[in-house]
Structures are given as structure tokens and as C-alpha cells.
Amino acid sequence: MTHLSSTIRAEVLTIGDEILFGQITDTNTQWIGTELTNLGIRPVRKTSVGDNAADILSALHEASLRAELIIITGGLGPTKDDITKQTLCRFFDTVLELNQEALEMVSSFFIKRGREMTELNRQQAALPANCTYLANDWGTAPGMWFERDGRVFVSLPGVPFEMKNLMQQRVLPRLRAYFQTPVITHRIIRTIGIGESFLAEKIEAWEDSLPAHIRLAYLPSFGGVRLRLTGTGALAEPLLAELNAEVARVLPLINDYVYGYDDDEIETVVGRMLVEQNATLSTAESCTGGLVAHRITSVPGSSRYFEGAVVSYSNAIKTGTLGVSPSSLEQFGAVSEQVVKEMAEGARALLGTTYALATSGIAGPDGGTEEKPVGTVWIACATPHETVTRLLRLGKYRDQNVQLTTTYVLDLLRKTLRQPVFNA
Amino acid sequence: MTHLSSTIRAEVLTIGDEILFGQITDTNTQWIGTELTNLGIRPVRKTSVGDNAADILSALHEASLRAELIIITGGLGPTKDDITKQTLCRFFDTVLELNQEALEMVSSFFIKRGREMTELNRQQAALPANCTYLANDWGTAPGMWFERDGRVFVSLPGVPFEMKNLMQQRVLPRLRAYFQTPVITHRIIRTIGIGESFLAEKIEAWEDSLPAHIRLAYLPSFGGVRLRLTGTGALAEPLLAELNAEVARVLPLINDYVYGYDDDEIETVVGRMLVEQNATLSTAESCTGGLVAHRITSVPGSSRYFEGAVVSYSNAIKTGTLGVSPSSLEQFGAVSEQVVKEMAEGARALLGTTYALATSGIAGPDGGTEEKPVGTVWIACATPHETVTRLLRLGKYRDQNVQLTTTYVLDLLRKTLRQPVFNA
């Protein structure tokens, strides 16, 4: 059965005491909300209930009165507090049956890892008799798809990477086919170094001129704002062409701040630039403690251009390994333009790379002084010709300061790489 | 009026399209869940609805049938899409009235900042006639307290720091007085290196013997499982003693896997152990690319024991900086027990630390061979007396392999540190 309704309504139901009691952060429902919205399905309610059959049953019943799609996460583990499957059986008035396909998936999961399968694991392959089994590539908890009275119910594990993989591989394609959703296409412009309200002022006239079937959203995140254009239409290709034309129209207004599009991350963008220039990179990190190297190496293939890093938390390593001059440390302090410059140049020389990045700052919560409060950070990028430095004045939260410094030093590299290298 | 019910049930209602569509991360409800649980009030449901009067009214109505306390956040700003106050008037069958106390707060907010008050801001002091006004020290949106039929409704702004301040200063003390609640206490046992189902088998007899007022939950996360014990009782101290006795009873069954309790993270635990032993640490990282150093340095005060790291992505740095022997690299390859051992010992010597950790592996997606498939990882911990190594056989996903390797090498350090250091 397929639906041609203009708006499919969805509810997301999360099961687990740990969410109600505030013991884990629920990142699943935000992610699901975004994916459904991208598909043209409208989330109308999110509900979380505990590991309690009566509460789950009433939430399922209420949701089925209001929405055509109900997505349920959590409560599918092998232990006693996981009661979603039994409760779904009561809701659909059916029983658990051993599912052969699910049993094979669970068995192969254990065989691959060379581990014994327990009876509890075997029970994970028992599913409500009326469901379609959705294979979980990353774990032993099943995905399940139910249809009743023109409504779809999907039950997924609560572990985020298992849930996301099941959604992307199995659920979203099925939803697209079942509900015949209109074509919805996105283009995202990724900016860095400009606040949301300043960005909004710069592009106000363009935003006001957008046609009704193209919507703009500002998605601020750590150190950057993404501009998401969402177009709705009948055909994919003309819609994408329209979106691309709008991107081309707005770009001249904000070009200085744009580092990429769609899924681009700043570390992916600089990686591509380094490969193109056949250049190499190293880092010398103090306050970022290795996060710059971690983000660079999170990109598959980064070993082509990344040579390594020195995390110089102590001054002894700044002088001993990176070759920072003890007199610079004494005269200017570890958090200074001179020291961060010598760190970048030291890493570049030690690791023999084309470019090197360096960070030195007071991440907090302690270590601030009146002259250099918490959040004072120097960053540097050494090239074959010069070393560029910048002073950041960040906030008082350690984790934020480390994350922002990492983003800004990668952006400093991006800006440096935009200038073609002159090989004398 | 006061209640002496054994369990006060609470529901949290969040209002705002941006939450449903996944455009902002909802951190409020997790925080509220923790605070209510700490107060002995039991959160039984969380609901999010959009900026839509019908949806808000039905959610309020449903919540009032199930819970004694309903906390509402969001929709209190001065703009058109903020309709919470008008909707509360409809729900309570009352009208908006200018509240003198609220008007004074709003006025003084603008006077302090030397800004003009607009008519929109003045309207923020108009409140449902039946509410008790709760002053917001940090903004112009009001807090509101309603009582009806023995139920309490609290409406708060959605801006996190305004909401939290109102909760702490005005709401929690009132809730404590109004509902004389039982005590609910938690203890969490944090394990690593054992799957949920294996853990469940080991502790089954103990779990079955738990008294009815103590419940157990399994909370799995990346590379570890947390066991949460939740007790309900009349008095805090005997209840905590009971929980601690249960922890002591289960501990011998799972001791090898337990790295900490409650909020402990593995990096915090090893940090404490290093401080106690007056020892220092460095890392030599290949496949983890700096993530071990980043997790260690994410702990405030880690500069007391962490000296630094060498991220040796290229073989040149393994030999040149860490002193790995070129013949070991040639004979065994970069991903080998011999090389990871030399990396750990090299970092320990170079950075002059008591201990050093090292990682070398094939994170993927490329680089695997038949003999060493993607997911093959060697880890090492060098001490003053020996170097312990371990082979990990992980999966095929780069990010997971990096995260798990980081967790396991920190756990290797923890196990090493548990043996008291013999200072000859």
C-alpha cells in the first residue's frame, strides 16, 4: 500500500528510564527529526517513556491516533529491562517467533568475533510474528518494520550508531517508497568565522527573494553556521539546478566565510587541498592536546599528507623536542605569539613537512591571569615562506575552547592554502 | 497543600518546532530529568510538541491525567510564534493580566542595560491571572507556577541558562516544600571489556535477588557497559548504605571489568591514579592520531601528569623522533607487537615519563591485508620495569576502531597502574 498524502505526520517514541532520569543525552531524536524533515515527513511529537509496559502501550496507542509513522527507539537489548519486543507483541496482539534471518545475523556476529553465543543472544532473534525484519549490520539487536491500518511502525535499537545505520540502510529507502514523498533536495553552504545575525544581515535581500518552494535554515554549530537550502518539487534534476543557481547567487555576498558544501568538514577540505598541492602537514599542540591531529586523521587517506604531531603539554617538550627557545618561554610565556610561532616552525623542521600548525592557550578552568585570562589562545601556521599567527579570545569553558581552537587553526590552514604555493 | 504520596510523577513538556525538526539540541529535558530524580520525583514521560495551540493543549491535558507535576519549557519569548502564555490561559480557562511584579522586573532589566522597552517587552509582564509569578533573574521571559486539583504546572523559558537559574532559585525549593517526596538514590558501576549479555549472565543470580525497591539497568555505550542501581526509600542514608552493600555484593563477580563508579570516566580514573602515584604519562600514537592525548587532556588539571605525545603517522617519525629501529619496521611492519613496544619505550625515553602508551593499527577503510585485516591493532603500555602489549581485533569502521583503541589503551594503563609501582 502506498500513500499520496501531502503531509505525512510522524512521532518519535524513545524508550528507556535512563533518558527520563537524565542519565544519558538523547541525540537520537534530534537526528531522526532532521532525517524525517529532509524526507518531507513532518515530525509532530516526540515522546520518551520509561521501561514500563503500560507507559509504552499508552504512548503507542496515542501516537497511532495522531500520526501515520511511529518510530520507536530503545529497549531492544538482551537483558531483562529491555521489554520493547514483548510490549510490541501485546500492542499488535501477536507473539514472538524465532526469525531465521535474524538468527543467522546474530550467529554470524558472534562467529566473526570468535565468541560464544549465549541463550540471551539467541533470544534476540525472536521477533513479533507480524514484523518485517530489518538487518542490523553493527549489532545483535534487530530492526523491525510493522504496518497496520495504513500506518507504519518502526522499532530500532537505541545505540546511536546502530540506529543511524539501520535508518540509512533500511528504513529511509522503505519510507520513501511507502509514502511516495515529494522530491526534497538540500544544498548546504558551510561557513566559518561569522555569526548567525551578521550572516543574516548580509544575505537578507537574497533570502527575501527566494521562491516559496525553496526554504532557508540557519544551522549554527560550534564555530560555524551552515546555511541549508531545502527545495520541494516534482522532479529531482530541475530542482537541484534551481538550488545550485541560488547558491551561485548568494556566494559573492559571503565568499570569505565559505569553506565547503553539504557534508564537507574543514578537515576534509584542507585534506583535499593538501593532496592537490602535493604538500604535507604536521602539528605542534599545546592546549588542543592532540585534537587537531585527531580531526585531521579522522579523514580516511589522511596518511597521504599527514606526517605526525607533537603534543607538547610540558615546557620541557617544547624546548627539548620542538626546539622552542628557553629564553622565549621565559620572556613571553608559553601562551605567546613568539612561542606558538617557534612551535609551528619547530614541528615543520622536526617532521619535515610543507606546513605545520601550532596551538598554545589557556583552556581553563584554571591557569588564567589578569593579563592572559582563560580563553586566551595563540595559533600559528608555518609555511615554506612565512609563519602566520593569530590571537583568539575565547570563553571560559575548557571543552569549548579546545574545540573552537581546533576549528580555527584548521581554518587558518585553509586560508593559507588558498594562496597557491610559490615553489622557488 | 502538601502531598505524602510515595511517588510523585512528573512529565516534562517542551514546546518548539525547532526541537521537532532537529534544528536544535534539547539539553533542557536531560537536565530537568536529573534534577527531578535527585529530588525523588519520578519523571515518567517527556513530550515535545510544535508551536501549535491544539498540540500544546492536548499534551497538557494528557499530562495532567498521568502526572502530579508538569514542567513546561519554551514558547515564552516576545515574538509571534511564542504562544505558551495564551495557550495556558485557554487550558486554565483564565485571561492575561498585567503582573506588577513582573513589569517591575522587565523594566529594571531594560533600565540596567540602558535600553528602551518596547510594547512587545511590556506584554511579557502580562501573565495568566491564576499563576504565581516566578522572577527570572537573567531575562525578560517569566517563570509561572500553577496549582489545580492537587497538581502543579510550572512554565519556564526555553533558554537553558534562564531555565536552569529559575529551576534552582525558585522551582526546586517550592517543589521540595509542596511534595514531601521519598528519596531516590542511584549508584552506577562502570565496566569495560565485557559485553552486556556476558555481564548479565555473570550477575544473574545477584540481579534476581535484588529487593523490589532496588532496580537494575544496563546502560551500554562505546566499549563499556554501565550498571545502574536505583533505590527508592524513606531515608537517604540507610538507602545509600543498602545500595553500597549491593555494589559490594556484586563486585567480586565482575571486579576485573570495573573501572569506576557514578560519573567516573576512564581518563579521569587513570588521572587520579597517576596523581596518587606521583607518576607522569606520555603517548606515542599511530592509528589513534592524537585521540588518546586529547581524551587525557580533556580532564582539567591533566597537565600535572601528562607531559605530551608524539603522533607518528609516518614511519620517518617513528624512527626519527621515537627511535623505532628501521629493521623492526622492515621485518615486522608498522602494525606489529615489536614496533608498538618500541614506540611506547621511545615515547617514555623521549618525553621522560614514568609510563607511556602506544597504538599502531589499521583503522581502515583501506590498508588492510589478508594477514592484517582492517581492525588489527597493537597497543602497548611501557612502565619503568616492563612493556605490556596487547593485540586487538576490531571491526571495519575507522571511527569506531579509533574510539575503541583509545578506550582499550587507557584501560591497559588502568590495569597496569593497579599494580603498585616498585621503586627500586
Side-chain angles (χ1 to χ4, degrees):
Chain A
M1 192 168 105
T2 54
H3 292 249
L4 286 160
S5 156
S6 62
T7 312
I8 307 296
R9 287 160 301 177
E11 296 206 13
V12 181
L13 174 60
T14 317
I15 297 172
D17 284 344
E18 66 278 13
I19 291 169
L20 290 177
F21 297 171
Q23 280 161 342
I24 66 164
T25 306
D26 168 27
T27 55
N28 283 349
T29 53
Q30 180 179 10
W31 188 89
I32 294 171
T34 309
E35 293 298 312
L36 294 179
T37 307
N38 288 348
L39 209 66
I41 292 175
R42 185 178 175 85
V44 293
R45 193 181 286 227
K46 279 183 4 185
T47 306
S48 300
V49 295
D51 300 306
N52 173 304
D55 289 351
I56 299 171
L57 282 172
S58 83
L60 279 172
H61 177 71
E62 292 160 18
S64 69
L65 298 178
R66 286 181 302 243
E68 290 78 40
L69 170 64
I70 294 98
I71 295 191
I72 306 145
T73 66
L76 292 178
T79 52
K80 283 180 204 164
D81 57 334
D82 291 310
I83 59 169
T84 300
K85 280 195 310 193
Q86 292 83 335
T87 312
L88 284 168
C89 282
R90 284 175 60 186
F91 181 70
F92 290 115
D93 197 15
T94 186
V95 292
L96 289 179
E97 254 178 17
L98 196 69
N99 181 297
Q100 271 311 321
E101 204 189 332
L103 185 61
E104 275 159 35
M105 279 295 287
V106 173
S107 308
S108 76
F109 188 90
F110 281 90
I111 288 165
K112 263 190 216 148
R113 283 159 185 76
R115 277 158 44 187
E116 281 293 315
M117 195 165 98
T118 66
E119 180 53 31
L120 276 179
N121 295 122
R122 206 181 133 82
Q123 285 169 19
Q124 293 202 279
L127 307 183
N130 65 328
C131 86
T132 303
Y133 168 66
L134 306 177
N136 177 354
D137 300 330
W138 289 13
T140 55
M144 295 175 278
W145 173 283
F146 304 84
E147 295 176 16
R148 188 169 76 174
D149 303 335
R151 285 179 170 68
V152 171
F153 300 76
V154 179
S155 168
L156 300 171
V159 181
F161 69 91
E162 296 182 25
M163 180 281 292
K164 287 180 188 174
N165 184 60
L166 264 159
M167 279 289 282
Q168 282 164 334
Q169 300 300 319
R170 319 263 182 267
V171 179
L172 293 174
R174 268 186 180 73
L175 291 176
R176 233 175 257 123
Y178 187 91
F179 290 115
Q180 297 197 351
T181 51
V183 176
I184 295 196
T185 304
H186 303 275
R187 290 295 330 242
I188 294 172
I189 305 173
R190 303 178 76 113
T191 73
I192 206 166
I194 180 171
E196 187 178 357
S197 54
F198 293 94
L199 199 56
E201 276 187 16
K202 278 190 189 291
I203 64 176
E204 192 177 9
W206 168 80
E207 183 176 355
D208 289 342
S209 76
L210 286 172
H213 66 288
I214 297 184
R215 292 188 312 151
L216 177 71
Y218 293 81
L219 309 176
S221 62
F222 237 33
V225 177
R226 286 162 298 150
L227 293 173
R228 190 189 63 209
L229 283 168
T230 305
T232 311
L235 293 166
E237 272 185 45
L239 185 62
L240 184 61
E242 261 192 294
L243 287 181
N244 288 341
E246 291 300 346
V247 171
R249 217 153 62 82
V250 75
L251 217 48
L253 306 174
I254 53 174
N255 210 21
D256 279 356
Y257 308 103
V258 176
Y259 70 86
Y261 302 92
D262 303 324
D263 292 334
D264 285 343
E265 299 287 350
I266 184 105
E267 51 269 33
T268 330
V269 172
V270 296
R272 279 201 301 263
M273 294 167 97
L274 288 166
V275 169
E276 275 164 24
Q277 298 188 14
N278 202 20
T280 56
L281 179 66
S282 59
T283 68
E285 307 184 41
S286 182
C287 66
T288 49
L291 186 61
V292 183
H294 169 58
R295 277 186 52 187
I296 292 166
T297 59
S298 71
V299 179
S302 47
S303 57
R304 284 171 71 186
Y305 48 83
F306 188 66
E307 295 287 313
V310 174
V311 178
S312 54
Y313 233 55
S314 72
N315 283 345
I317 292 155
K318 289 190 183 77
T319 55
T321 308
L322 288 174
V324 171
S325 117
S327 73
S328 298
L329 274 169
E330 194 166 323
Q331 196 179 342
F332 305 105
V335 179
S336 63
E337 181 171 25
Q338 182 59 33
V339 167
V340 82
K341 187 169 175 291
E342 291 181 30
M343 284 171 64
E345 290 166 0
R348 191 173 167 272
L350 177 73
L351 305 181
T353 53
T354 324
Y355 300 96
L357 298 174
T359 64
S360 185
I362 300 152
D366 306 316
T369 62
E370 199 159 325
E371 195 201 348
K372 294 177 186 174
V374 167
T376 306
V377 178
W378 277 97
I379 59 176
C381 176
T383 79
H385 315 291
E386 58 170 350
T387 299
V388 187
T389 60
R390 187 164 301 169
L391 172 63
L392 308 175
R393 295 187 185 282
L394 306 173
K396 59 181 173 181
Y397 299 104
R398 183 179 184 86
D399 182 54
Q400 283 193 30
N401 290 338
V402 170
Q403 300 279 350
L404 284 173
T405 301
T406 302
T407 298
Y408 290 141
V409 80
L410 288 169
D411 196 49
L412 183 62
L413 174 63
R414 179 185 68 85
K415 286 178 177 146
T416 309
L417 287 171
R418 257 200 328 218
Q419 326 283 347
V421 182
F422 173 66
N423 285 310
Chain B
M1 188 168 106
T2 55
H3 292 248
L4 286 161
S5 157
S6 64
T7 313
I8 305 298
R9 287 159 301 178
E11 296 206 13
V12 181
L13 173 60
T14 319
I15 298 172
D17 283 343
E18 67 279 12
I19 291 169
L20 290 177
F21 298 170
Q23 282 162 343
I24 66 163
T25 306
D26 168 27
T27 55
N28 282 351
T29 53
Q30 180 180 10
W31 188 88
I32 294 172
T34 309
E35 293 299 312
L36 293 179
T37 306
N38 289 347
L39 209 66
I41 291 176
R42 185 177 175 86
V44 293
R45 193 180 286 227
K46 278 183 5 184
T47 306
S48 300
V49 295
D51 300 305
N52 173 305
D55 289 351
I56 299 171
L57 282 171
S58 84
L60 279 172
H61 177 70
E62 291 160 18
S64 69
L65 297 178
R66 286 182 302 244
E68 289 79 40
L69 169 64
I70 294 98
I71 295 191
I72 307 145
T73 66
L76 293 178
T79 53
K80 277 178 238 170
D81 56 340
D82 291 310
I83 59 170
T84 300
K85 280 193 311 192
Q86 293 83 336
T87 313
L88 285 168
C89 282
R90 283 176 60 186
F91 180 71
F92 290 115
D93 197 15
T94 186
V95 292
L96 290 178
E97 253 178 18
L98 197 69
N99 181 297
Q100 272 311 320
E101 204 190 333
L103 185 62
E104 275 160 35
M105 277 297 283
V106 174
S107 308
S108 76
F109 188 89
F110 282 90
I111 288 163
K112 263 190 218 153
R113 283 157 186 77
R115 277 160 44 190
E116 280 294 314
M117 196 166 96
T118 66
E119 180 52 30
L120 275 179
N121 295 122
R122 206 181 134 81
Q123 283 169 19
Q124 292 202 277
L127 307 183
N130 65 328
C131 85
T132 303
Y133 167 68
L134 306 177
N136 177 353
D137 300 329
W138 296 98
T140 56
M144 295 175 279
W145 173 284
F146 304 84
E147 295 175 16
R148 187 169 77 175
D149 303 335
R151 284 178 170 69
V152 171
F153 299 75
V154 180
S155 168
L156 300 170
V159 180
F161 69 91
E162 295 181 26
M163 180 281 290
K164 287 180 188 174
N165 185 61
L166 265 159
M167 279 289 283
Q168 283 164 334
Q169 300 300 318
R170 320 264 181 263
V171 179
L172 293 174
R174 268 184 179 74
L175 290 176
R176 232 175 257 123
Y178 188 90
F179 298 113
Q180 294 179 350
T181 51
V183 177
I184 296 190
T185 304
H186 303 276
R187 289 296 327 241
I188 294 172
I189 305 173
R190 303 178 77 114
T191 73
I192 206 165
I194 180 169
E196 188 180 354
S197 53
F198 293 92
L199 200 56
E201 279 191 7
K202 278 190 190 292
I203 64 175
E204 192 176 9
W206 169 79
E207 183 176 355
D208 290 341
S209 77
L210 285 173
H213 66 287
I214 297 184
R215 296 201 311 156
L216 177 71
Y218 294 80
L219 310 176
S221 62
F222 233 34
V225 177
R226 286 163 297 151
L227 294 173
R228 188 192 62 213
L229 283 168
T230 304
T232 311
L235 293 166
E237 274 185 45
L239 184 60
L240 184 61
E242 258 192 296
L243 288 180
N244 289 341
E246 291 299 345
V247 171
R249 215 153 65 82
V250 76
L251 218 48
L253 306 174
I254 53 173
N255 208 24
D256 279 356
Y257 309 102
V258 175
Y259 69 87
Y261 302 91
D262 302 324
D263 293 333
D264 285 342
E265 299 288 350
I266 183 107
E267 52 268 32
T268 330
V269 171
V270 296
R272 277 201 302 263
M273 293 167 98
L274 288 166
V275 168
E276 274 165 24
Q277 298 189 12
N278 202 20
T280 56
L281 178 67
S282 58
T283 70
E285 306 184 41
S286 183
C287 66
T288 48
L291 186 61
V292 184
H294 170 58
R295 278 189 45 190
I296 293 166
T297 59
S298 71
V299 179
S302 46
S303 57
R304 284 171 71 186
Y305 47 84
F306 188 66
E307 295 287 313
V310 174
V311 179
S312 56
Y313 233 54
S314 73
N315 283 347
I317 292 154
K318 289 189 183 79
T319 55
T321 308
L322 288 174
V324 171
S325 116
S327 73
S328 298
L329 274 170
E330 195 167 322
Q331 193 180 342
F332 304 105
V335 179
S336 63
E337 180 171 24
Q338 183 57 32
V339 167
V340 82
K341 186 170 177 287
E342 292 181 29
M343 284 171 64
E345 290 166 1
R348 189 172 168 273
L350 177 73
L351 305 181
T353 53
T354 325
Y355 300 95
L357 298 175
T359 64
S360 184
I362 301 153
D366 307 316
T369 62
E370 199 160 324
E371 195 201 347
K372 294 176 186 174
V374 167
T376 306
V377 178
W378 277 99
I379 59 176
C381 176
T383 78
H385 315 291
E386 59 171 348
T387 300
V388 186
T389 60
R390 187 164 302 170
L391 173 63
L392 307 175
R393 296 190 185 280
L394 306 174
K396 58 182 174 180
Y397 300 102
R398 184 181 184 84
D399 182 53
Q400 282 194 36
N401 290 340
V402 171
Q403 300 280 349
L404 284 173
T405 301
T406 302
T407 298
Y408 290 141
V409 80
L410 287 169
D411 195 49
L412 182 62
L413 173 63
R414 178 185 68 84
K415 286 177 179 147
T416 309
L417 287 170
R418 252 196 335 212
Q419 327 283 350
V421 182
F422 175 66
N423 287 308

